[in-house]
Amino acid sequence: MAVAASPVPEEDRVRLLAGTHHDPHGVLGAHPVTGGMAFRALRPYAKAVAVVAEDLRAELRDDGDGFFSVVLPLEAAPEGYRLHVTYEDAELEIHDAYRFLPSLGDFDLHLIGEGRHERLWDALGARPMVHQGATGTRFTVWAPNARGVRVVGGFNFWDGTGFPMRSLGGTGVWELFAPSVGEGELYKFEITRADGSKTLRADPLARRTETPPANSSVVHESHHEWHDEAWLARRAERPAHEAPFSVYEVHLASWRPGLTYRQLAEQLPAYVADLGFTHVELMPVAEHPFGGSWGYQVTGFYAPTARLGTPDDFKYLVDALHRAGIGVLMDWVPAHFPRDDWALAEFDGRPLYEHEDPARAAHPDWGTLEFDYGRKEVRNFLVANATYWCEEFHIDGLRVDAVASMLYLDYSREHGQWTPNAHGGRENLDAVAFLQEMNATVYRRCPGVVTIAEESTAWDGVTRATHHEGPGGFGGLGFGLKWNMGWMHDSLDYVSKEPVHRKHHHHEMTFSMVYAYSENYVLPISHDEVVHGKRSLVSKMPGDWWQQRATHRAYLGFMWAHPGKQLLFMGQEFAQGAEWAEGHGPDWWLLDPAYGAEADHRGVRDLVRDLNTVYRREGALWERDTDPGGFAWVEGDAAEDNVFAFLRYPDEGGGGTPLLAVSHFSPVVRHAYRLGVPDEFAAWQEVLNTDEARYGGGDVTNPDPLKPEPVASHGRPASLRLTLPPLATVWLRPA
């Protein structure tokens, strides 16, 4: 039936073999020619190739170097024709990858070109699908500077010669639908750079990866069935800054070393729920090559780390936490990425994800590269990534790492090492625009999700709406919450001092109220504060072991009562004495009943449970965290006594009552200590005392209701006389 051969033209042949052809589909596959239809195939190592259809079988001529061709007297190629390929020791019958139309639509390409594809992961990466009647995987990648791109993987023995991708116009996107390639296959992209050299790259949009140190991407399709509908339906009832929000920070790989996502799902939700935290915050989950980075140097922005299981396994963990009534926050790292030569750095031979100016690209602190927030495709990659975790994994909040390093052009740079913006300022206008777009997009697409900024400067309007302009001329960044790094530094500095010296640092505990309502704050005692020689929380405290534990408990009581949300890193809930190390995680043996001091550590954990229980019950402690009317000092100047006392008020008209919090950071008992209180309540009852014996304290308490006396004090017409335990925090409410 064959009438002639139609070999690949020499120029195309050279380019295909070199991996520099931008349109392999225009050469390979079936094409009309004089005399019929030309069929051309590139099948390296094949002994023979034939075209087969229902009533057709025709051998192709071997043109050398893996090329085969034939011209058949047909008006059109048979629909769904296949190639029968004979190798030395195998025969395959497969769909011809080069007979397919592009599997990515024009609208997708338009959105990618505009930098506005909010579900970018649906368009780029590896997606198993049925296309024109064939089952396979669509591979797409953005590489605008590449001369050519080929897919390599286990399915072609890591030789991409027969799998060149086509360029889809000016978007810089390359595409190939590969029939018969399915879930679980390893792959990478072989990119030919402008200078003709080649580089093998993991897929920036890979949704699954090999377990490090291996770094191939893995074709993935989710099969998880969610069971958290009730959680998702109610999580948007209150914004985070008006809801109880008490966070347990976890490094998954070391919380209980060796556990997988699914094993963690059997233990972590129960533990967190028992302690009463409303949320967990997971240190970065996205794939990263170096475990010692704790996940903060990401190479796989769309893939949960394979160290603990598959993406569906991670979904199972999130699902389990939600069913236990626990929200899931995740650290997200859009500030920088590592320089690994198989990942994002100079991805297609030139700066692509990083800024083209080397001085702007190089992160001065971490040896990494900063994203080019001014490039629309890069901004799209990151904005879509934020919504990806929320939509695909039902994440309830993103804590955005290192925001300050993004906002300032001169961050960690000396004079002469940075260039001012168009207005002569130090603000990174591209980063500002990116953060505003990210926050606006997440809040629009994902009801009930909160974004949290780790931002350590006095940038104005971190948690202000993006459309509300501040005095500096910028709209707000649009975050829901911000870590209060000032409170953390000041308060830790205070409690680390010997009690006799604390009177000289009294202001460090009160200064936070000067700016407490400038943003919506989280009070963070995070992993950063208990590593690298900073000592664990209890070990920061001076004195003997009893005093250290007492101060630890008093500090937690002060923290839970202070306006703002709370975050506590794992191990600090039971006063672990050693610093955290990712190699072994918390010292759980401290809670073993066989250990002599187990009661000391269990007591602190019991206190944390009770702090959370009372906190969630008393609306005064969270309903007006961002309202100055929800707080009033009773005693803020008792430096000589090391005493801090304040009232927290609930929503007006909500039926709640105020709460009086008194923290005493001196190692003596103070009897009949007078504090002014509102006179409309007949008596006040102690609801929490960190010195109770069951917490490991000395049990100096106020067991009976305290009746206000008509003695003016602290600007109020009535006052209480109470006993202040040593190194303790006491909470009271109207009886």
Side-chain angles (χ1 to χ4, degrees):
M1 185 178 182
V3 297
S6 179
V8 171
E10 184 62 24
E11 181 183 355
D12 291 317
R13 182 185 181 105
V14 170
R15 292 173 62 199
L16 285 166
L17 290 175
T20 59
H21 208 297
H22 72 285
D23 185 23
H25 294 71
V27 180
L28 303 175
H31 300 275
V33 296
T34 302
M37 294 294 297
F39 293 82
R40 305 188 189 99
L42 176 54
R43 305 301 303 183
Y45 314 113
K47 296 296 182 182
V49 179
V51 177
V52 295
E54 286 187 5
D55 55 354
L56 169 70
R57 180 184 177 93
E59 297 291 331
L60 278 65
R61 190 183 75 176
D62 186 345
D63 297 324
D65 294 325
F67 288 97
F68 296 83
S69 66
V70 69
V71 175
L72 302 179
L74 302 171
E75 293 184 358
E79 185 175 350
Y81 77 86
R82 301 167 74 88
L83 297 178
H84 187 96
V85 185
T86 302
Y87 293 98
E88 187 74 44
D89 55 0
E91 294 188 18
L92 302 175
E93 189 167 296
I94 57 175
H95 289 281
D96 183 359
Y98 297 92
R99 75 170 176 83
F100 296 98
L101 296 171
S103 53
L104 196 62
D106 288 341
F107 187 56
D108 284 312
L109 292 172
H110 171 75
L111 292 176
I112 292 170
E114 290 288 317
R116 298 289 179 185
H117 204 306
E118 294 181 356
R119 288 183 62 90
L120 188 66
W121 64 95
D122 283 342
L124 297 182
R127 179 163 291 276
M129 63 191 308
V130 176
H131 180 49
Q132 292 180 228
T135 300
T137 295
R138 180 192 69 201
F139 294 96
T140 44
V141 64
W142 178 58
N145 300 305
R147 290 178 61 188
V149 184
R150 302 193 285 207
V151 182
V152 299
F155 48 85
N156 60 19
F157 301 97
W158 299 94
D159 184 338
T161 305
F163 285 74
M165 304 175 73
R166 63 179 150 203
S167 173
L168 297 179
T171 60
V173 175
W174 299 75
E175 179 264 358
L176 177 68
F177 175 72
S180 302
V181 175
E183 292 181 60
E185 292 281 7
L186 304 182
Y187 72 98
K188 283 187 176 182
F189 295 113
E190 180 192 80
I191 296 174
T192 303
R193 303 181 180 105
D195 63 2
S197 63
K198 290 180 168 49
T199 179
L200 274 182
R201 297 290 172 143
D203 182 0
L205 273 289
R207 290 177 293 158
R208 182 180 171 190
T209 69
E210 281 190 289
T211 303
N215 53 45
S216 294
S217 304
V218 182
V219 177
H220 173 72
E221 187 167 28
S222 178
H223 300 283
H224 178 75
E225 295 184 7
W226 290 95
H227 301 285
D228 62 349
E229 298 84 0
W231 169 267
L232 296 180
R234 67 173 182 268
R235 74 176 182 185
E237 292 176 355
R238 277 179 178 265
H241 64 277
E242 295 177 0
F245 197 89
S246 172
V247 184
Y248 183 64
E249 187 188 23
V250 177
H251 180 252
L252 284 177
S254 69
W255 184 69
R256 290 202 172 143
L259 298 189
T260 64
Y261 291 129
R262 288 184 180 267
Q263 291 168 333
L264 284 162
E266 302 305 316
Q267 298 187 34
L268 183 61
Y271 183 80
V272 176
D274 175 65
L275 290 182
F277 288 97
T278 65
H279 292 74
V280 294
E281 180 177 313
L282 308 179
M283 289 168 66
V285 174
E287 193 59 272
H288 50 283
F290 176 49
S293 76
W294 311 331
Y296 290 99
Q297 296 194 8
V298 178
T299 49
F301 281 81
Y302 284 78
T305 179
R307 293 171 174 85
L308 307 180
T310 69
D312 276 2
D313 294 337
F314 179 58
K315 289 181 178 181
Y316 183 87
L317 171 59
V318 175
D319 211 349
L321 286 161
H322 283 170
R323 285 183 281 116
I326 300 161
V328 182
L329 314 175
M330 187 187 85
D331 279 12
W332 185 56
V333 192
H336 63 130
F337 57 92
R339 296 173 179 265
D340 300 76
D341 61 6
W342 48 266
L344 296 183
E346 294 192 353
F347 182 76
D348 59 3
R350 297 192 69 253
L352 189 65
Y353 289 91
E354 66 270 41
H355 202 282
E356 62 181 1
D357 179 353
R360 287 279 300 273
H363 197 290
D365 288 348
W366 303 312
T368 52
L369 295 168
E370 298 183 10
F371 283 101
D372 182 358
Y373 306 108
R375 184 161 190 164
K376 61 182 184 296
E377 299 93 342
V378 175
R379 196 168 62 243
N380 192 174
F381 172 82
L382 292 170
V383 171
N385 187 241
T387 62
Y388 169 76
W389 289 103
C390 300
E391 294 186 16
E392 293 293 321
F393 292 92
H394 293 195
I395 296 297
D396 303 295
L398 299 172
R399 177 268 196 184
V400 184
D401 183 63
V403 171
S405 75
M406 301 164 65
L407 289 174
Y408 297 99
L409 295 168
D410 62 345
Y411 183 86
S412 284
R413 293 179 172 93
E414 300 296 331
H415 181 71
Q417 295 178 333
W418 61 282
T419 303
N421 63 34
H423 307 294
R426 56 197 284 254
E427 302 87 1
N428 186 336
L429 303 180
D430 293 334
V432 171
F434 156 67
L435 291 170
Q436 291 173 328
E437 181 181 346
M438 181 276 296
N439 281 313
T441 304
V442 167
Y443 277 100
R444 171 169 49 82
R445 293 186 63 96
C446 309
V449 167
V450 62
T451 60
I452 307 166
E454 188 224 3
E455 203 285 310
S456 55
T457 74
W459 183 279
D460 176 59
V462 173
T463 59
R464 190 171 60 235
T466 57
H467 59 284
H468 289 166
E469 186 174 301
F474 292 102
L477 295 183
F479 285 94
L481 296 166
K482 172 183 172 174
W483 273 22
N484 193 334
M485 310 294 279
W487 172 89
M488 179 270 296
H489 285 297
D490 288 347
S491 63
L492 288 181
D493 186 66
Y494 175 86
V495 294
S496 68
K497 298 288 191 295
E498 291 285 349
V500 70
H501 300 304
R502 285 176 180 158
K503 63 184 178 182
H504 304 297
H505 299 269
H506 194 79
H507 65 283
E508 293 181 357
M509 293 288 268
T510 60
F511 180 65
S512 58
M513 290 311 304
V514 173
Y515 61 87
Y517 304 104
S518 61
E519 303 281 3
N520 304 336
Y521 281 118
V522 175
L523 312 178
I525 300 299
S526 74
H527 66 277
D528 275 333
E529 309 318 313
V530 295
V531 292
H532 299 325
K534 295 181 182 178
R535 297 174 293 174
S536 70
L537 183 57
V538 73
S539 296
K540 296 177 191 291
M541 310 305 177
D544 59 21
W545 176 231
W546 192 95
Q547 290 183 342
Q548 286 182 308
R549 285 184 294 117
T551 309
H552 180 101
R553 295 192 305 267
Y555 181 74
L556 292 178
F558 174 80
M559 172 180 174
W560 254 252
H562 191 286
K565 311 310 181 182
Q566 302 84 36
L567 178 141
L568 189 66
F569 184 58
M570 63 184 194
Q572 313 315 301
E573 78 275 16
F574 57 83
Q576 173 176 314
E579 286 186 340
W580 169 65
E582 78 275 4
H584 62 75
D587 290 335
W588 296 109
W589 57 270
L590 296 171
L591 297 169
D592 186 338
Y595 173 59
E598 177 264 347
D600 295 346
H601 299 278
R602 176 171 39 82
V604 176
R605 189 172 66 170
D606 289 346
L607 170 65
V608 170
R609 180 188 297 109
D610 289 352
L611 285 170
N612 279 324
T613 299
V614 178
Y615 168 76
R616 296 175 79 158
R617 187 181 69 216
E618 299 291 334
L621 290 173
W622 49 266
E623 288 175 348
R624 301 174 73 182
D625 270 335
T626 59
D627 176 4
F631 176 93
W633 280 113
V634 174
E635 177 58 273
D637 296 321
E640 292 290 338
D641 297 337
N642 303 146
V643 170
F644 307 87
F646 51 84
L647 287 160
R648 297 293 308 276
Y649 293 99
D651 279 342
E652 295 177 348
T657 58
L659 184 136
L660 173 63
V662 187
S663 292
H664 176 218
F665 289 99
S666 183
V668 298
V669 178
R670 298 193 188 278
H671 298 281
Y673 199 86
R674 188 175 295 280
L675 291 170
V677 292
D679 60 356
E680 64 263 36
F681 302 106
W684 291 73
Q685 179 72 51
E686 194 173 87
V687 292
L688 186 137
N689 184 325
T690 67
D691 193 53
E692 286 189 42
R694 60 199 178 101
Y695 304 141
D699 216 28
V700 177
T701 65
N702 296 273
D704 301 319
L706 300 172
K707 296 183 178 181
E709 300 174 354
V711 177
S713 182
H714 300 101
R716 292 176 173 82
S719 57
L720 298 176
R721 288 194 303 165
L722 64 157
T723 300
L724 297 187
L727 300 174
T729 292
V730 177
W731 292 356
L732 304 101
R733 58 160 292 169

